[in-house]
Structures are given as C-alpha cells and as structure tokens.
Amino acid sequence: LCIRLHYGHPDVFDKLFFITRGGISKSSKGINLSEDIFAGYNNAIRGGQVTFKEYIQVGKGRDVGMSQIYQFEAKLSQGAGEQSLSRDVYRLCHRLDFSRLLSYYFGGIGHYFSNVLTVLTVYVVVYLMAILALYDLEKIGDRLITPMGTIQMLLGGLGLLQTIPLFSTLGVERGWWASFRELVQVFVTGGPLHFMFHIQTKANYMTQTILVGGAKYRPTGRGFVTQHTPMDEQYRFFASSHLYLGVEMGAGLIIMGIYSDAGQYFGRTWSLWLASLSFLASPFWFNPLTFEWNVV
C-alpha cells in the first residue's frame, strides 16, 4: 500500500526532491524526536514514495540488556507520542485513502495506542472485578456469573495464535523441530513475561508523552551487556512505570479473592495475575546473573 515510511539506517534520500520541497531540517528535538520517520512524512505528503531495496541481509548489533531494551522502547514510544501530536501526522491522515490510513495506523502509532488500550483494559478489569466483589454484585438477578464457558476458554487460547508467525519463520529458516524447541525455550524461560513487561513500557511512555511531554533522545549503545545490575538500581529504574502498577493490580486481585462469591477464582484471574507478576518480577528475572549466589 506504499505507506512504509522508514526502513532503518541507512536511509538514502533524493536530495533534489527534498531541498525543493522544504528540506528535511526540523525545528524541535522534542516533537521531531523520531527524525527519520518525519522525512518519510514529508515525502508522502508531497507526493513522493519510499521504496525499499534489500541487497543482502546481515546481522546487526541489537540491544541485549533489560535496561537497554527498556530505554530503546521508551525512546520509540515517546517518539510515537510526539508524532501523534504533530502537524505532519494530522495532514497525512487527512489526505490518505481509507486502506492506506489503516495500514499507516497499524504500522505506526496505532501499535502504541493498542498497547495503551491493552494495559488500560487490564487495569480497569481488575478494579471492576474488585468492586463487583466488594459490593456483592457478582450476579445477574439471583444467578451468579459463570465466567468460564467454552467461548471464554477459546478466546483465552487465541493469544497463542500469535506464536504461529514466529513458528513459521523459524521453521523455514532452521527446520520445524528446531523451531518447536525454540518456542518451548521461549515459554520455559519466561518469554511471555518479558513481552508483557514491554507492553507496559510502551504504554507508560506513550501516555506520559501525550499528557505531559518530556520526550528526549536516549542513547542505548550496542554493547554486549552481561553485568549484574544491583537491586536498588533496578527498583529506582522500574518502580514508577511497572512495579507500583504490579503491586496495585496484585492488591486488587487479593481483595477480589477475599470478597468474591462467584467461584472459579483462578480461571477468572490467572491472566491478570500473570500481568501483575510480569510487572513485578521481570526486571529481576531478566537481570544478568540473577541467580548467581555471589551477586545475590
């Protein structure tokens, strides 16, 4: 649909096209934090196209430490927040046809809005369930709610479908048995907790940027990070964005468990407990050498 706007470094520019259409310089290091994508916006708004030519695929240095990944996600999320407030996105969205608009939304800032809505939904569900239990409203008329029907179980299992693209990609590249083992390893080592943790990272910085600003460039480096980060430093780093929310959700679920009469407590709350555990445990679980006795 010709709506991919940036493919990562190196971007190659048509110099004549850009300098005759306002140039590519921007005035704000805040709202233009994600500088590359704004060149794509300029290009698309003025009738140009962004083409992608891949000559060879090679390995690239990636963020490997928990704090590195956290800072990188924070930078992208804050950039997306600033993009959503910018004139460029406003003008672009007023001029795209519906199909390209949907493609742009889900390939760009829509991903971050979806993360915000996901975390907000989890937060609201915990509070609603706790309030219903506290005020003895877990029933319709005289009949208690029965939340674990067949449809609900099927919907809960749909989340596993998201592993199919990963399984297929690894299967083609390495073979199906190796792909299966890789997936099992991801689950056994706590991969889902890691992904849930970073959904909250993106949601937190997206909302923070839209509400109060504060977007800035965060240098992450590309070093191979294996040093152990002390617990107090981890706590200061993740407390406001993850740990407080995890404790709040856990407290809400405990209160709900004490006062609930509807039954099937584990069936109704296992996914919410998983999210709370992810926010609380991930910074320490994925800290290098976490279980090395000399550094505990």
Side-chain angles (χ1 to χ4, degrees):
L1 291 172
C2 302
I3 199 58
R4 186 76 184 268
L5 300 168
H6 168 54
Y7 289 92
H9 300 291
D11 285 320
V12 180
F13 291 89
D14 182 342
K15 182 178 179 182
L16 188 62
F17 180 92
F18 276 97
I19 63 175
T20 54
R21 289 166 177 80
I24 57 172
S25 297
K26 294 294 180 182
S27 58
S28 168
K29 63 181 181 181
I31 204 160
N32 302 116
L33 178 66
S34 304
E35 71 284 352
D36 310 286
I37 196 81
F38 279 95
Y41 291 151
N42 279 3
N43 194 25
I45 290 170
R46 289 161 175 79
Q49 274 196 336
V50 181
T51 58
F52 179 50
K53 294 183 180 179
E54 184 177 46
Y55 296 100
I56 189 168
Q57 186 174 351
V58 297
K60 179 186 175 184
R62 294 289 181 187
D63 305 294
V64 292
M66 191 68 174
S67 58
Q68 269 190 340
I69 298 171
Y70 177 87
Q71 291 184 49
F72 182 68
E73 295 285 8
K75 181 173 66 175
L76 294 186
S77 303
Q78 289 188 316
E82 295 288 4
Q83 287 171 48
S84 65
L85 301 174
S86 69
R87 297 177 182 181
D88 305 69
V89 169
Y90 175 81
R91 290 169 179 158
L92 187 68
C93 292
H94 272 71
R95 288 161 176 79
L96 290 176
D97 60 77
F98 186 67
S99 297
R100 290 184 77 195
L101 185 62
L102 284 182
S103 184
Y104 164 67
Y105 177 80
F106 287 105
I109 57 176
H111 169 71
Y112 296 91
F113 276 116
S114 297
N115 284 317
V116 172
L117 293 175
T118 299
V119 173
L120 180 63
T121 301
V122 170
Y123 190 73
V124 169
V125 165
V126 169
Y127 267 92
L128 283 178
M129 291 172 75
I131 290 169
L132 290 174
L134 276 170
Y135 290 97
D136 196 24
L137 297 172
E138 295 179 309
K139 51 191 172 185
I140 302 170
D142 295 325
R143 182 167 57 87
L144 287 174
I145 57 174
T146 54
M148 290 301 288
T150 307
I151 294 177
Q152 286 85 348
M153 291 293 288
L154 288 173
L155 289 175
L158 286 177
L160 295 175
L161 292 178
Q162 304 222 21
T163 61
I164 291 177
L166 176 62
F167 179 70
S168 303
T169 303
L170 292 174
V172 171
E173 290 182 354
R174 305 184 195 173
W176 300 109
W177 176 241
S179 174
F180 176 74
R181 282 188 302 169
E182 183 78 21
L183 273 184
V184 171
Q185 184 179 359
V186 166
F187 278 92
V188 169
T189 54
L193 298 181
H194 183 271
F195 298 128
M196 281 188 278
F197 182 85
H198 283 298
I199 286 176
Q200 167 58 9
T201 301
K202 289 180 270 195
N204 176 72
Y205 281 100
M206 180 76 170
T207 51
Q208 181 194 72
T209 303
I210 290 176
L211 293 175
V212 298
K216 62 180 180 180
Y217 181 77
R218 297 167 185 268
T220 56
R222 292 292 185 271
F224 190 66
V225 181
T226 55
Q227 75 268 21
H228 179 80
T229 306
M231 180 178 174
D232 60 331
E233 189 176 328
Q234 288 286 82
Y235 181 84
R236 287 194 300 270
F237 208 69
F238 297 107
S240 61
S241 59
H242 294 79
L243 300 181
Y244 296 161
L245 178 61
V247 169
E248 191 175 344
M249 288 173 56
L253 291 170
I254 289 171
I255 291 171
M256 177 227 165
I258 294 171
Y259 290 95
S260 176
D261 295 323
Q264 298 181 332
Y265 176 76
F266 179 74
R268 289 189 292 153
T269 61
W270 67 270
S271 57
L272 301 172
W273 272 116
L274 203 59
S276 177
L277 179 67
S278 167
F279 300 157
L280 290 171
S282 291
F284 311 106
W285 179 270
F286 296 105
N287 190 11
L289 306 175
T290 294
F291 301 107
E292 188 71 34
W293 183 251
N294 293 330
V295 297
V296 171

